[in-house]
PDB file of all heavy atoms in Angstrom:
ATOM      1  N   CYS A 224       4.511-137.667  61.416  1.00 89.00           N
ATOM      2  CA  CYS A 224       5.346-136.718  60.695  1.00 89.00           C
ATOM      3  C   CYS A 224       5.774-137.350  59.373  1.00 89.00           C
ATOM      4  O   CYS A 224       6.052-138.553  59.303  1.00 89.00           O
ATOM      5  CB  CYS A 224       6.576-136.353  61.530  1.00 89.00           C
ATOM      6  SG  CYS A 224       7.705-135.220  60.733  1.00 89.00           S
ATOM      7  N   VAL A 225       5.798-136.552  58.319  1.00 88.00           N
ATOM      8  CA  VAL A 225       6.226-137.012  56.996  1.00 88.00           C
ATOM      9  C   VAL A 225       7.403-136.151  56.555  1.00 88.00           C
ATOM     10  O   VAL A 225       7.330-134.923  56.580  1.00 88.00           O
ATOM     11  CB  VAL A 225       5.077-136.936  55.978  1.00 88.00           C
ATOM     12  CG1 VAL A 225       5.603-137.221  54.579  1.00 88.00           C
ATOM     13  CG2 VAL A 225       3.980-137.913  56.335  1.00 88.00           C
ATOM     14  N   LEU A 226       8.479-136.816  56.162  1.00 84.00           N
ATOM     15  CA  LEU A 226       9.667-136.162  55.642  1.00 84.00           C
ATOM     16  C   LEU A 226       9.821-136.585  54.200  1.00 84.00           C
ATOM     17  O   LEU A 226       9.902-137.785  53.911  1.00 84.00           O
ATOM     18  CB  LEU A 226      10.903-136.559  56.455  1.00 84.00           C
ATOM     19  CG  LEU A 226      12.214-135.898  56.075  1.00 84.00           C
ATOM     20  CD1 LEU A 226      12.199-134.423  56.477  1.00 84.00           C
ATOM     21  CD2 LEU A 226      13.372-136.617  56.772  1.00 84.00           C
ATOM     22  N   SER A 227       9.826-135.613  53.284  1.00 84.00           N
ATOM     23  CA  SER A 227       9.811-135.962  51.873  1.00 84.00           C
ATOM     24  C   SER A 227      10.625-134.964  51.068  1.00 84.00           C
ATOM     25  O   SER A 227      10.584-133.759  51.345  1.00 84.00           O
ATOM     26  CB  SER A 227       8.372-135.986  51.356  1.00 84.00           C
ATOM     27  OG  SER A 227       8.338-136.157  49.957  1.00 84.00           O
ATOM     28  N   PRO A 228      11.352-135.456  50.058  1.00 83.00           N
ATOM     29  CA  PRO A 228      12.045-134.547  49.135  1.00 83.00           C
ATOM     30  C   PRO A 228      11.188-134.188  47.928  1.00 83.00           C
ATOM     31  O   PRO A 228      11.624-133.431  47.066  1.00 83.00           O
ATOM     32  CB  PRO A 228      13.259-135.367  48.708  1.00 83.00           C
ATOM     33  CG  PRO A 228      12.759-136.772  48.716  1.00 83.00           C
ATOM     34  CD  PRO A 228      11.740-136.857  49.827  1.00 83.00           C
ATOM     35  N   GLY A 229       9.992-134.757  47.858  1.00 80.00           N
ATOM     36  CA  GLY A 229       9.138-134.568  46.692  1.00 80.00           C
ATOM     37  C   GLY A 229       8.656-133.136  46.547  1.00 80.00           C
ATOM     38  O   GLY A 229       8.714-132.323  47.480  1.00 80.00           O
ATOM     39  N   PRO A 230       8.121-132.785  45.368  1.00 88.00           N
ATOM     40  CA  PRO A 230       7.657-131.416  45.134  1.00 88.00           C
ATOM     41  C   PRO A 230       6.364-131.074  45.872  1.00 88.00           C
ATOM     42  O   PRO A 230       6.095-129.902  46.133  1.00 88.00           O
ATOM     43  CB  PRO A 230       7.460-131.366  43.616  1.00 88.00           C
ATOM     44  CG  PRO A 230       7.215-132.794  43.224  1.00 88.00           C
ATOM     45  CD  PRO A 230       8.018-133.629  44.169  1.00 88.00           C
ATOM     46  N   THR A 231       5.568-132.083  46.210  1.00 92.00           N
ATOM     47  CA  THR A 231       4.301-131.830  46.904  1.00 92.00           C
ATOM     48  C   THR A 231       4.053-132.908  47.953  1.00 92.00           C
ATOM     49  O   THR A 231       4.540-134.039  47.833  1.00 92.00           O
ATOM     50  CB  THR A 231       3.105-131.802  45.925  1.00 92.00           C
ATOM     51  OG1 THR A 231       3.027-133.070  45.250  1.00 92.00           O
ATOM     52  CG2 THR A 231       3.248-130.677  44.912  1.00 92.00           C
ATOM     53  N   LEU A 232       3.246-132.523  48.953  1.00 93.00           N
ATOM     54  CA  LEU A 232       2.729-133.462  49.945  1.00 93.00           C
ATOM     55  C   LEU A 232       1.209-133.398  49.879  1.00 93.00           C
ATOM     56  O   LEU A 232       0.624-132.313  49.821  1.00 93.00           O
ATOM     57  CB  LEU A 232       3.210-133.090  51.348  1.00 93.00           C
ATOM     58  CG  LEU A 232       4.705-133.234  51.622  1.00 93.00           C
ATOM     59  CD1 LEU A 232       5.052-132.635  52.980  1.00 93.00           C
ATOM     60  CD2 LEU A 232       5.114-134.699  51.577  1.00 93.00           C
ATOM     61  N   THR A 233       0.561-134.562  49.899  1.00 94.00           N
ATOM     62  CA  THR A 233      -0.890-134.631  49.727  1.00 94.00           C
ATOM     63  C   THR A 233      -1.560-135.061  51.023  1.00 94.00           C
ATOM     64  O   THR A 233      -0.979-135.782  51.847  1.00 94.00           O
ATOM     65  CB  THR A 233      -1.261-135.598  48.597  1.00 94.00           C
ATOM     66  OG1 THR A 233      -0.706-136.888  48.888  1.00 94.00           O
ATOM     67  CG2 THR A 233      -0.703-135.102  47.266  1.00 94.00           C
ATOM     68  N   PHE A 234      -2.828-134.611  51.177  1.00 96.00           N
ATOM     69  CA  PHE A 234      -3.630-134.903  52.369  1.00 96.00           C
ATOM     70  C   PHE A 234      -5.026-135.315  51.907  1.00 96.00           C
ATOM     71  O   PHE A 234      -5.607-134.686  51.021  1.00 96.00           O
ATOM     72  CB  PHE A 234      -3.729-133.668  53.274  1.00 96.00           C
ATOM     73  CG  PHE A 234      -2.402-133.091  53.677  1.00 96.00           C
ATOM     74  CD1 PHE A 234      -1.668-132.290  52.796  1.00 96.00           C
ATOM     75  CD2 PHE A 234      -1.870-133.337  54.933  1.00 96.00           C
ATOM     76  CE1 PHE A 234      -0.453-131.745  53.166  1.00 96.00           C
ATOM     77  CE2 PHE A 234      -0.642-132.801  55.307  1.00 96.00           C
ATOM     78  CZ  PHE A 234       0.073-132.012  54.411  1.00 96.00           C
ATOM     79  N   GLY A 235      -5.574-136.367  52.528  1.00 95.00           N
ATOM     80  CA  GLY A 235      -6.911-136.812  52.159  1.00 95.00           C
ATOM     81  C   GLY A 235      -7.280-138.102  52.845  1.00 95.00           C
ATOM     82  O   GLY A 235      -6.628-138.532  53.808  1.00 95.00           O
ATOM     83  N   GLN A 236      -8.339-138.746  52.311  1.00 93.00           N
ATOM     84  CA  GLN A 236      -8.819-139.991  52.917  1.00 93.00           C
ATOM     85  C   GLN A 236      -8.000-141.199  52.490  1.00 93.00           C
ATOM     86  O   GLN A 236      -7.893-142.164  53.239  1.00 93.00           O
ATOM     87  CB  GLN A 236     -10.290-140.205  52.552  1.00 93.00           C
ATOM     88  CG  GLN A 236     -11.262-139.373  53.366  1.00 93.00           C
ATOM     89  CD  GLN A 236     -12.698-139.787  53.110  1.00 93.00           C
ATOM     90  OE1 GLN A 236     -13.028-140.348  52.069  1.00 93.00           O
ATOM     91  NE2 GLN A 236     -13.572-139.512  54.064  1.00 93.00           N
ATOM     92  N   GLY A 237      -7.463-141.193  51.294  1.00 87.00           N
ATOM     93  CA  GLY A 237      -6.731-142.378  50.848  1.00 87.00           C
ATOM     94  C   GLY A 237      -5.745-142.060  49.757  1.00 87.00           C
ATOM     95  O   GLY A 237      -5.905-141.100  48.996  1.00 87.00           O
ATOM     96  N   ARG A 238      -4.656-142.890  49.701  1.00 89.00           N
ATOM     97  CA  ARG A 238      -3.610-142.775  48.705  1.00 89.00           C
ATOM     98  C   ARG A 238      -2.967-141.388  48.707  1.00 89.00           C
ATOM     99  O   ARG A 238      -2.733-140.779  47.671  1.00 89.00           O
ATOM    100  CB  ARG A 238      -4.139-143.106  47.307  1.00 89.00           C
ATOM    101  CG  ARG A 238      -4.618-144.535  47.163  1.00 89.00           C
ATOM    102  CD  ARG A 238      -5.040-144.832  45.742  1.00 89.00           C
ATOM    103  NE  ARG A 238      -5.471-146.222  45.601  1.00 89.00           N
ATOM    104  CZ  ARG A 238      -5.890-146.769  44.455  1.00 89.00           C
ATOM    105  NH1 ARG A 238      -5.908-146.027  43.337  1.00 89.00           N
ATOM    106  NH2 ARG A 238      -6.264-148.027  44.423  1.00 89.00           N
ATOM    107  N   CYS A 239      -2.690-140.883  49.901  1.00 93.00           N
ATOM    108  CA  CYS A 239      -2.044-139.584  50.078  1.00 93.00           C
ATOM    109  C   CYS A 239      -0.875-139.747  51.044  1.00 93.00           C
ATOM    110  O   CYS A 239      -0.739-140.774  51.723  1.00 93.00           O
ATOM    111  CB  CYS A 239      -3.022-138.544  50.624  1.00 93.00           C
ATOM    112  SG  CYS A 239      -4.434-138.210  49.537  1.00 93.00           S
ATOM    113  N   ASP A 240      -0.030-138.751  51.117  1.00 92.00           N
ATOM    114  CA  ASP A 240       1.056-138.786  52.094  1.00 92.00           C
ATOM    115  C   ASP A 240       0.503-138.805  53.516  1.00 92.00           C
ATOM    116  O   ASP A 240       1.061-139.463  54.401  1.00 92.00           O
ATOM    117  CB  ASP A 240       1.969-137.578  51.898  1.00 92.00           C
ATOM    118  CG  ASP A 240       2.673-137.606  50.548  1.00 92.00           C
ATOM    119  OD1 ASP A 240       3.286-138.642  50.221  1.00 92.00           O
ATOM    120  OD2 ASP A 240       2.602-136.595  49.822  1.00 92.00           O
ATOM    121  N   PHE A 241      -0.575-138.058  53.755  1.00 93.00           N
ATOM    122  CA  PHE A 241      -1.312-138.115  55.019  1.00 93.00           C
ATOM    123  C   PHE A 241      -2.709-138.627  54.692  1.00 93.00           C
ATOM    124  O   PHE A 241      -3.527-137.894  54.116  1.00 93.00           O
ATOM    125  CB  PHE A 241      -1.399-136.723  55.668  1.00 93.00           C
ATOM    126  CG  PHE A 241      -0.157-136.283  56.369  1.00 93.00           C
ATOM    127  CD1 PHE A 241       0.814-135.568  55.690  1.00 93.00           C
ATOM    128  CD2 PHE A 241       0.054-136.582  57.714  1.00 93.00           C
ATOM    129  CE1 PHE A 241       1.960-135.150  56.330  1.00 93.00           C
ATOM    130  CE2 PHE A 241       1.204-136.174  58.356  1.00 93.00           C
ATOM    131  CZ  PHE A 241       2.171-135.456  57.669  1.00 93.00           C
ATOM    132  N   SER A 242      -2.987-139.868  55.027  1.00 93.00           N
ATOM    133  CA  SER A 242      -4.278-140.497  54.717  1.00 93.00           C
ATOM    134  C   SER A 242      -5.020-140.799  56.009  1.00 93.00           C
ATOM    135  O   SER A 242      -4.456-141.389  56.949  1.00 93.00           O
ATOM    136  CB  SER A 242      -4.074-141.797  53.918  1.00 93.00           C
ATOM    137  OG  SER A 242      -3.468-141.520  52.671  1.00 93.00           O
ATOM    138  N   PHE A 243      -6.303-140.409  56.040  1.00 93.00           N
ATOM    139  CA  PHE A 243      -7.173-140.648  57.194  1.00 93.00           C
ATOM    140  C   PHE A 243      -8.510-141.164  56.661  1.00 93.00           C
ATOM    141  O   PHE A 243      -9.455-140.398  56.437  1.00 93.00           O
ATOM    142  CB  PHE A 243      -7.370-139.367  58.006  1.00 93.00           C
ATOM    143  CG  PHE A 243      -6.076-138.741  58.465  1.00 93.00           C
ATOM    144  CD1 PHE A 243      -5.460-137.749  57.705  1.00 93.00           C
ATOM    145  CD2 PHE A 243      -5.472-139.157  59.638  1.00 93.00           C
ATOM    146  CE1 PHE A 243      -4.277-137.172  58.124  1.00 93.00           C
ATOM    147  CE2 PHE A 243      -4.280-138.585  60.058  1.00 93.00           C
ATOM    148  CZ  PHE A 243      -3.684-137.599  59.296  1.00 93.00           C
ATOM    149  N   PRO A 244      -8.635-142.474  56.449  1.00 93.00           N
ATOM    150  CA  PRO A 244      -9.845-143.026  55.817  1.00 93.00           C
ATOM    151  C   PRO A 244     -11.116-142.809  56.635  1.00 93.00           C
ATOM    152  O   PRO A 244     -12.205-142.756  56.050  1.00 93.00           O
ATOM    153  CB  PRO A 244      -9.516-144.528  55.686  1.00 93.00           C
ATOM    154  CG  PRO A 244      -8.032-144.609  55.782  1.00 93.00           C
ATOM    155  CD  PRO A 244      -7.614-143.509  56.685  1.00 93.00           C
ATOM    156  N   ASN A 245     -11.017-142.670  57.943  1.00 91.00           N
ATOM    157  CA  ASN A 245     -12.208-142.567  58.781  1.00 91.00           C
ATOM    158  C   ASN A 245     -12.639-141.124  59.062  1.00 91.00           C
ATOM    159  O   ASN A 245     -13.587-140.919  59.826  1.00 91.00           O
ATOM    160  CB  ASN A 245     -11.966-143.296  60.103  1.00 91.00           C
ATOM    161  CG  ASN A 245     -11.704-144.779  59.905  1.00 91.00           C
ATOM    162  OD1 ASN A 245     -12.285-145.406  59.014  1.00 91.00           O
ATOM    163  ND2 ASN A 245     -10.819-145.347  60.721  1.00 91.00           N
ATOM    164  N   ASP A 246     -11.964-140.162  58.492  1.00 91.00           N
ATOM    165  CA  ASP A 246     -12.315-138.758  58.716  1.00 91.00           C
ATOM    166  C   ASP A 246     -13.323-138.338  57.649  1.00 91.00           C
ATOM    167  O   ASP A 246     -12.972-138.143  56.472  1.00 91.00           O
ATOM    168  CB  ASP A 246     -11.068-137.876  58.654  1.00 91.00           C
ATOM    169  CG  ASP A 246     -11.318-136.465  59.175  1.00 91.00           C
ATOM    170  OD1 ASP A 246     -12.488-136.023  59.168  1.00 91.00           O
ATOM    171  OD2 ASP A 246     -10.354-135.796  59.586  1.00 91.00           O
ATOM    172  N   GLU A 247     -14.588-138.204  58.046  1.00 89.00           N
ATOM    173  CA  GLU A 247     -15.638-137.857  57.092  1.00 89.00           C
ATOM    174  C   GLU A 247     -15.540-136.416  56.603  1.00 89.00           C
ATOM    175  O   GLU A 247     -16.173-136.062  55.605  1.00 89.00           O
ATOM    176  CB  GLU A 247     -17.011-138.089  57.721  1.00 89.00           C
ATOM    177  CG  GLU A 247     -17.266-139.539  58.092  1.00 89.00           C
ATOM    178  CD  GLU A 247     -18.627-139.740  58.719  1.00 89.00           C
ATOM    179  OE1 GLU A 247     -19.332-138.715  58.928  1.00 89.00           O
ATOM    180  OE2 GLU A 247     -19.004-140.901  58.969  1.00 89.00           O
TER     181      GLU A 247
END
Side-chain angles (χ1 to χ4, degrees):
C224 179
V225 172
L226 183 71
S227 173
T231 59
L232 293 172
T233 57
F234 305 79
Q236 282 189 336
R238 297 184 179 181
C239 298
D240 296 309
F241 282 91
S242 297
F243 304 93
N245 298 325
D246 192 337
E247 298 180 356

